[in-house]
Structures are given as C-alpha cells and as structure tokens.
Amino acid sequence: MATYVPQLKKMYKEQIIPALTKEFGYKSIMQVPKLEKIVVNQGLGQAVADKKLIEIAQEELTLITGQKAVPTKSRKDISNFKLRKGMPIGVRVTLRGDKMYEFMQRLVAVALPRVRDFQGINEKFDGRGNYTMGITEQIIFPEIDIDKISKIFGMEITFVTNTDSDEEAYALLSEFGLPFKNAKKKAAPVLED
C-alpha cells in the first residue's frame, strides 16, 4: 500500500530541485535550499483584558493549521500595558514535515485567493533567507466559520529556510507558488547592510 505524500513535497523533489539546480548551478542536491518550518503566530494584545481571547485564538489556529496551538507568554513586566511577566499574550504553531507542506498548499491555493483586492505579497526578506508575511484577517481560511467568530485576528506566517541567501529563498518560495508582487522578476532584491 502506498503511503500518502503531500503534493508540494512531491513537487519539491520532482520539479523544484531540478529548477533551482539549473538556476543556481548547484553541484549536489544537498546544496538546494529547503523549507525547514513554517511558524504561524498571533499576537493578542487585547488578551490582557480578556483571557477568553487566548482560548478562542488557540482553537482557531488549531483548526487552521491542523496542529495544536500553544499560548505564548510575556517575557517581562510592562506597567503601561498592565502586563505582567508570564501572562499569555498570543498563540503560535510551528509546522514541520507533511503538515507544513499541507498548510502551505492550503495557504497558496485556497486562503490567499480569498483576500479581497489581492495584489500579491511583498518580497521583503530578513537578510538570512527567511520570509514573514502578515495576514490581517483569519477568516480567509475556509476552516473558520464566519458566523461563529467573535473577533477578527491577524497573524504572521514565517517561512524558515536552510539558506542564508535571500535570493535563493525567494527562488524557492516562488517555485512553491507564493504569489510575490513582482513575480516576473526571478531574483529577490539585494539587501544592503
């Protein structure tokens, strides 16, 4: 009996590795950049006043990613925000392996096309081959029932690659289908230090 392999994982092995090897001239497939993990994070500043928001966000993020979300806690006291060290102020999920590929496929094929007036995503990398995009509404994911939500939350999705080159990471994520604004241009912008 054949085991299930996510479509993007198969695509990475069969199409993306040869395409990137041709583009960058790698000598070995071990040099080809890989997507290591995807971190989905929601910061909930309002949770200081309303503790129930953390539970709601945790349930929604678990539904969206298919993996249990964990609360993130504050690291220090900030009196102006009535925040004490150790208070839950957000939720996050770290996806690896098959769940990571499944989430990315749903994000690219289903969720992003549901964004109103979508023009593509910015191509601003962090200088170390990682990319973070912001989403303003969690309702773009079909797993969320619009009738049942009490509050609209935004989230950050970080794609962590094993390369330090923004250019190689841009090429990898473009091959995976992330809709960058200037997709015709193949190389990522060179960041000056």
Side-chain angles (χ1 to χ4, degrees), residues 136-159:
T136 53
E137 301 174 336
Q138 84 274 29
I139 58 175
I140 65 167
F141 290 96
E143 295 86 357
I144 301 297
D145 186 1
I146 296 174
D147 300 330
K148 292 183 181 171
I149 63 163
S150 57
K151 203 165 180 83
I152 291 193
F153 301 119
M155 65 180 70
E156 285 184 337
I157 302 172
T158 303
F159 300 92

Side-chain angles (χ1 to χ4, degrees), residues 7-180:
Q7 204 173 354
L8 283 183
K9 190 174 188 178
K10 205 156 94 179
M11 187 176 117
Y12 175 73
K13 288 182 176 150
E14 295 171 2
Q15 297 171 6
I16 296 175
I17 289 177
L20 292 179
T21 302
K22 183 179 175 191
E23 185 177 341
F24 292 100
Y26 299 123
K27 302 279 186 270
S28 162
I29 62 166
M30 297 307 288
Q31 291 176 300
V32 178
K34 289 195 280 269
L35 189 61
E36 290 191 331
K37 63 183 175 180
I38 297 176
V39 180
V40 185
N41 177 39
Q42 284 185 318
L44 305 165
Q46 310 97 333
V48 173
D50 187 3
K51 304 280 184 257
K52 197 116 179 92
L53 286 179
I54 293 289
E55 292 171 21
I56 293 167
Q58 207 171 351
E59 287 173 19
E60 287 182 352
L61 202 55
T62 300
L63 268 176
I64 290 170
T65 60
Q67 184 172 309
K68 186 160 175 38
V70 295
T72 52
K73 298 183 176 354
S74 64
R75 293 188 194 139
K76 55 185 174 181
D77 299 333
I78 302 174
S79 62
N80 291 352
F81 298 126
K82 297 183 176 110
L83 187 67
R84 283 185 294 289
K85 186 176 180 176
M87 285 178 77
I89 54 167
V91 290
R92 77 155 186 249
V93 173
T94 302
L95 301 166
R96 289 183 171 86
D98 289 354
K99 286 188 177 178
M100 169 186 74
Y101 289 113
E102 288 293 327
F103 173 77
M104 187 165 186
Q105 185 170 356
R106 281 196 323 273
L107 176 72
V108 171
V110 180
L112 289 178
R114 292 176 67 165
V115 175
R116 189 180 310 129
D117 300 328
F118 186 66
Q119 301 291 320
I121 54 178
N122 289 326
E123 57 234 18
K124 194 164 176 17
F125 284 75
D126 69 350
R128 293 184 302 274
N130 304 317
Y131 177 71
T132 301
M133 64 181 279
I135 290 180
T136 53
E137 301 174 336
Q138 84 274 29
I139 58 175
I140 65 167
F141 290 96
E143 295 86 357
I144 301 297
D145 186 1
I146 296 174
D147 300 330
K148 292 183 181 171
I149 63 163
S150 57
K151 203 165 180 83
I152 291 193
F153 301 119
M155 65 180 70
E156 285 184 337
I157 302 172
T158 303
F159 300 92
V160 180
T161 64
N162 68 342
T163 179
D164 286 338
S165 163
D166 285 348
E167 185 181 350
E168 291 176 11
Y170 177 84
L172 173 69
L173 294 176
S174 295
E175 291 288 334
F176 270 124
L178 276 183
F180 290 106

